[in-house]
Amino acid sequence: MILPWTDHPGEFLVFRTAARRRALVLALAVLGTTSLAACTAGSGQDGDRPGTRAVADPATRPDLRRFYGQKLHWRPCGDFRCATLTVPRDYDRPGDGKTFALPVAKAATAVPGKRLGSLVLNPGGPGESGVRLLEDGVADDIGKGVRARFDIVSFDPRGVGGSKPALTCLADDRTGDEAHEAPLYPRTDAERADVLADARATAAACRRASGPLLPHVGTDDAARDMDVLRAALGERRLTYVGWSYGTSLGTSYAEQFPRRVRAMVLDGAVDPSLDWRQRVLNQSTGFRDAVEEYADSCADVVGEACPGTTPGEIRALVDRLLDRTRREPLPVDGSEEGLDAAGLVSALSLSMYTPEAQWEGLSEALRAADGGDGTKLAALAAGDEDAPDTDTDADAGPAASEGPTDDVPEDNGDAALMAVDCLDVPHPRGAQAYWDALAPADKAAGAYGTSGVTSELVCEDWPAGARRPHRVHAPGVPPVLVVGTTGDPATPYQEAVSLARQFPGGMLLSFEAPGHTGYGRDACVDEKVEEYLVSLTKVRPGTRCAP
């Protein structure tokens, strides 16, 4: 789950979106993690899915007709046009009066006479705002050939950002003495009891604040919302790009509505066949390997700014800081708590998303930490886009139904990430399964692995969803393009390989580079993706791009 080790508690993609990357590089989103997985017992439009039966086109269902038949009323909002999409809170009971009102934003870029339709984007998360994605300039970074043929559209998924109602997880009401500092590897009964108590307190705080919404914010419902959006945009078929978690949303859409896909790009892929433990091991190993790559390649990327003159010196510095912060937090300006080992792991991991934009800032922060000042690393651990040398709402309309919207922060991404991931991916009830996973995670990925396991504990005491790990089942879907970055820490490359193979006619475009996702970071990747979006040009097997 994409969030700092210290904040979450939840699903596979263990980190929050790194410094909210500008434009197309804002992917995540993963982190992993990402959400990840799978199909549901819910039904789709075309053909049978495992354990389900074919059902009628939902657009023809009388109880959904008012949603599918709605028109978007566009209004100016800065440089864009904005509207509100209304969707049922519960697709099994669409007539109960409970709805989500979702903000939609559009950059009307298509040239009259050349327009092919709308290109719908999802930036990842789960928990990232699509409206903010446009505000951050993504439309300007998409190639002119695509912009001339498509209007660029994005939206805030149910419960996220400007959604009405929106998710929130209020702080629990324990005193400072009752809260605990989380060890990277809880070994003793006392340490494990403290970690479990913190996870359960977080889950309880989310249930108090957003309990009625929690069963209704899963990826399959969000994918159904996207089909309502497709209809409201007047599109017969969907053209879509999803980064990181957006690949899970796209996969779910393709499974539920395979014959409504025109073109689909899934960049930074999540493999829906993996269970929670496999996801943790995959991603935590990815982050460990990315930090190793940072040591090896720092000089090539940032030159003299590196915190050591050789890869060995950089590794030694990281190990030294891990040992030091395990014993005692580093001082941080304006903080009584300082930077502990979990915060250090978070800072390192979050800095692996976009090496060309983040490694110089990480290098300066590590130098400062080696001198005893953890302030810059703490900023990186918090996902602060204004951290040193790192690159750094639209009105959603009136609420469509009452909901727990008081005290919702401007950015509720962490709450949404927990809610979606815990609902989407089955997690064990009872803590022993998590303790059993610690030793294998430590062997596979050290501190990254054990922190990944303990971050999942919040899902141990969370409302369960219906999704299960599965291989993609999307008969009739046209060729889907999967982009995999070979050094991707948050959505490891092997998951892109697997996902492309699971789609009938799936195509894999490999980007040989470190960092998270490829579209928007490399001219070769951009060219292949955009030829596919405009002309449906297939990518040949074995196609690779390198910076």
Side-chain angles (χ1 to χ4, degrees), residues 19 294 298 301-307 314 317 321 339 344 346-370 373-381 384-392:
Y294 162 70
C298 181
V301 176
V302 300
E304 295 181 358
C306 293
I314 296 174
L317 169 57
L321 289 173
L339 180 83
L344 173 60
S346 180
L348 288 165
S349 301
L350 284 169
S351 299
M352 296 300 111
Y353 282 78
T354 317
E356 60 270 25
Q358 296 179 291
W359 281 6
E360 185 171 353
L362 172 64
S363 298
E364 292 189 2
L366 288 172
R367 283 184 182 276
D370 199 34
D373 184 357
T375 303
K376 293 182 178 180
L377 280 177
L380 296 176
D384 183 358
E385 62 188 72
D386 294 323
D389 291 312
T390 59
D391 193 17
T392 44

Side-chain angles (χ1 to χ4, degrees), residues 306-356:
C306 293
T309 57
T310 67
E313 286 185 7
I314 296 174
R315 290 190 179 92
L317 169 57
V318 171
D319 290 343
R320 188 161 64 245
L321 289 173
L322 276 171
D323 290 341
R324 182 174 177 177
T325 52
R326 281 189 178 106
R327 295 191 303 269
E328 183 179 5
L330 287 171
V332 171
D333 290 348
S335 169
E336 296 181 1
E337 298 176 353
L339 180 83
D340 62 8
L344 173 60
V345 170
S346 180
L348 288 165
S349 301
L350 284 169
S351 299
M352 296 300 111
Y353 282 78
T354 317
E356 60 270 25

Side-chain angles (χ1 to χ4, degrees), residues 5-350:
W5 295 93
T6 48
D7 286 356
H8 171 228
E11 225 285 273
F12 146 76
L13 287 175
V14 192
F15 307 100
R16 181 116 162 75
T17 301
R20 216 183 274 290
R21 303 194 233 161
R22 288 185 184 277
L24 290 177
V25 180
L26 175 79
L28 294 201
V30 171
L31 174 254
T33 238
T34 75
S35 194
L36 313 174
C39 120
T40 159
S43 53
Q45 161 222 1
D46 299 277
D48 293 326
R49 298 172 68 191
T52 69
R53 59 184 177 82
V55 297
D57 183 343
T60 67
R61 280 176 47 183
D63 54 355
L64 291 177
R65 196 168 295 154
R66 76 180 183 95
F67 298 103
Y68 270 90
Q70 68 187 294
K71 302 297 183 183
L72 294 174
H73 300 290
W74 299 104
R75 61 189 181 278
C77 55
D79 294 331
F80 309 105
R81 307 285 292 175
C82 292
T84 300
L85 181 77
T86 302
V87 295
R89 189 179 302 184
D90 185 345
Y91 276 93
D92 290 333
R93 300 174 181 82
D96 65 2
K98 296 179 180 178
T99 61
F100 285 99
L102 308 181
V104 182
K106 174 175 69 173
T109 61
V111 175
K114 292 186 176 182
R115 186 181 186 276
L116 290 174
S118 300
L119 171 61
V120 177
L121 310 177
N122 179 271
E128 290 302 316
S129 163
V131 171
R132 186 176 294 124
L133 179 73
L134 289 190
E135 292 174 344
D136 285 347
V138 67
D140 293 335
D141 289 339
I142 290 176
K144 292 180 180 179
V146 172
R147 283 181 285 148
R149 308 303 294 273
F150 294 96
D151 294 327
I152 312 301
V153 176
S154 196
F155 68 104
D156 288 1
R158 53 176 53 211
V160 173
S163 164
K164 303 292 183 180
L167 290 159
T168 184
C169 290
L170 301 177
D172 64 74
D173 54 6
R174 294 175 300 162
T175 67
D177 293 336
E178 293 173 305
H180 311 101
E181 181 177 310
L184 291 175
Y185 189 162
R187 300 175 185 272
T188 68
D189 289 344
E191 286 177 336
R192 292 180 177 184
D194 287 348
V195 170
L196 182 59
D198 286 344
R200 288 178 171 172
T202 298
C206 291
R207 285 195 299 271
R208 286 196 302 272
S210 298
L213 303 183
L214 297 182
H216 303 296
V217 294
T219 296
D220 288 315
D221 281 335
R224 296 190 73 170
D225 296 343
M226 199 155 63
D227 196 53
V228 176
L229 174 62
R230 173 201 58 76
L233 290 168
E235 304 295 346
R236 187 173 66 87
R237 293 191 297 164
L238 178 72
T239 302
Y240 174 80
V241 173
W243 292 271
S244 198
Y245 162 76
T247 69
S248 290
L249 184 61
T251 297
S252 178
Y253 185 91
E255 290 189 302
Q256 295 187 76
F257 309 101
R259 292 182 177 88
R260 289 210 181 125
V261 175
R262 176 190 169 273
M264 180 170 285
V265 177
L266 305 178
D267 184 2
V270 176
D271 183 350
S273 70
L274 304 181
D275 64 23
W276 76 274
R277 187 164 163 171
Q278 292 169 318
R279 293 171 186 280
V280 168
L281 290 177
N282 266 14
Q283 194 191 47
S284 56
T285 302
F287 278 103
R288 181 207 61 189
D289 292 347
V291 174
E292 289 291 306
E293 177 65 19
Y294 162 70
D296 288 337
S297 303
C298 181
D300 295 333
V301 176
V302 300
E304 295 181 358
C306 293
T309 57
T310 67
E313 286 185 7
I314 296 174
R315 290 190 179 92
L317 169 57
V318 171
D319 290 343
R320 188 161 64 245
L321 289 173
L322 276 171
D323 290 341
R324 182 174 177 177
T325 52
R326 281 189 178 106
R327 295 191 303 269
E328 183 179 5
L330 287 171
V332 171
D333 290 348
S335 169
E336 296 181 1
E337 298 176 353
L339 180 83
D340 62 8
L344 173 60
V345 170
S346 180
L348 288 165
S349 301
L350 284 169

